């Protein structure tokens, strides 16, 4: 890219799309547009109606810096500092997993099932909260609910707290730092939700560079078979559920049957459900304490 040439929005998008494509970036055009609209402080739609507008020097320099990082496979969400989830804007940092679209299935499943609970018993927990994507979405869409969240990473909790504030939800959520259920002893919940780390150790090296080289390993690594966190949660979480409460977990590919089996081994669990995502992958496991009938 020559510094002294005139770069219009249209021209630089075209150039970046080709450059990203050649470097193996998965959605070159979309990424180019998201990064450029971030630099310009505009919506993406602005780009389409200003193709002929030239970039200023400072804008060009800032954009070039983002391009350089993107071809080093830094995720777009880390470069722009946010990611949409359930139609809501979440701040992200390198201490947090970038919320994934498949996790919206867990939120939707939790929302449908929590609607059956009376207002004053509507307390749920979110274990391994990261950005707060799961718990803050449920709180947003279920105005009578309250949440307790746990994460082992203080840096992630700081991001989740900022998101809660920005969404006006701080009053309804408690953030606890600690190991899985340890900070919750003695409490009872209508539901315990979690998208724990679930990548088997042997699969970590085969993840995309965006994930493997950028996202926090503590958000990903689930032990030899990827199931370490489910083992612990299935053993101890049912005792923290109200009668007729439920566990809802996101699981990785080919893990659902094993996780449902672990839940059923707990004598407090009466029934499990497995839900498939849009790609047809069994993605969410629900486990009911009591008969689950409400
Ligand atoms: N809930 C977020 C989401 O769905 O986007 C983040 C999920 S990420 C896969 C897992 C999260 O669990 C990370 O934020 C990580 O810091 C946290 N975590 C890892 N080990 C933990 C532990 N032993 N106790 C509590 N949280 C843990
Ligand atoms: N869905 C993430 C991935 O495929 C993993 C998240 C997790 O371990 N819970 O990279």
């Amino acid at each position: 890219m020559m510094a002294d040439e005139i770069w219009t929005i249209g021209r630089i998008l075209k150039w970046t799309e080709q450059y990203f494509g050649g470097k193996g970036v998965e959605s070159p055009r979309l990424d180019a547009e998201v990064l450029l609209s971030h630099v310009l402080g505009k919506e993406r739609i602005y780009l389409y109606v200003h193709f002929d507008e030239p970039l200023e020097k400072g804008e060009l320099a800032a954009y070039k810096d983002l391009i350089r990082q993107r071809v080093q496979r830094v995720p777009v969400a880390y470069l722009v500092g946010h990611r949409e989830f359930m139609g809501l804007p979440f701040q992200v940092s390198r201490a947090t997993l970038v919320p994934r679209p498949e996790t919206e299935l867990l939120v939707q499943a939790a929302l449908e099932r929590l609607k059956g609970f009376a207002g004053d018993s509507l307390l749920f927990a979110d274990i391994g909260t990261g950005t707060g994507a799961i718990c803050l979405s449920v709180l947003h869409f279920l105005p009578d609910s309250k949440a307790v969240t746990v994460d082992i990473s203080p840096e992630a909790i700081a991001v989740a707290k900022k998101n809660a504030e920005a969404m006006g939800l701080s009053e309804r959520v408690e953030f606890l730092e600690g190991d899985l259920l340890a900070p919750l002893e003695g409490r009872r919940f209508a539901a315990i939700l979690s998208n724990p780390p679930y990548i088997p150790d042997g699969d970590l090296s085969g993840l995309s560079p965006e994930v493997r080289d950028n996202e926090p390993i503590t958000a990903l690594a689930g032990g030899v078979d990827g199931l370490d966190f489910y083992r612990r949660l299935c053993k101890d979480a049912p005792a923290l559920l109200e009668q007729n409460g439920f566990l809802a977990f996101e699981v990785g590919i080919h893990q659902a049957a094993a996780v449902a089996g672990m839940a059923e081994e707990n004598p407090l669990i009466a029934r499990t459900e497995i839900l498939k995502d849009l790609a047809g992958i069994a993605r969410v496991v629900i486990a009911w304490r009591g008969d689950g009938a409400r």
Side-chain angles (χ1 to χ4, degrees), residues 71-102:
V71 295
Q72 287 165 7
R73 309 300 285 272
V74 177
V76 171
Y78 289 157
L79 295 176
V80 300
H82 52 85
R83 165 58 54 93
E84 188 180 290
F85 178 82
M86 291 297 292
L88 301 167
F90 282 87
Q91 292 182 48
V92 303
S93 83
R94 287 169 194 251
T96 64
L97 188 91
V98 177
R100 306 287 205 268
E102 58 267 29

Side-chain angles (χ1 to χ4, degrees), residues 97-100 103 126-131 133-134 150-153 156 178-180 195-197 218-220 229 232:
L97 188 91
V98 177
R100 306 287 205 268
T103 306
D126 173 23
I127 310 301
T129 201
T131 54
I134 296 169
V150 181
D151 206 290
I152 203 155
S153 156
D179 182 20
L180 288 196
N195 171 19
T218 41
L220 298 168
F229 288 89
R232 293 175 61 197

Side-chain angles (χ1 to χ4, degrees), residues 192-213:
I192 298 177
L193 317 178
S194 187
N195 171 19
Y198 58 59
I199 308 291
D201 290 345
D203 292 355
L204 288 168
S205 63
L207 295 174
S208 72
E210 278 84 350
V211 179
R212 185 192 60 215
D213 302 338

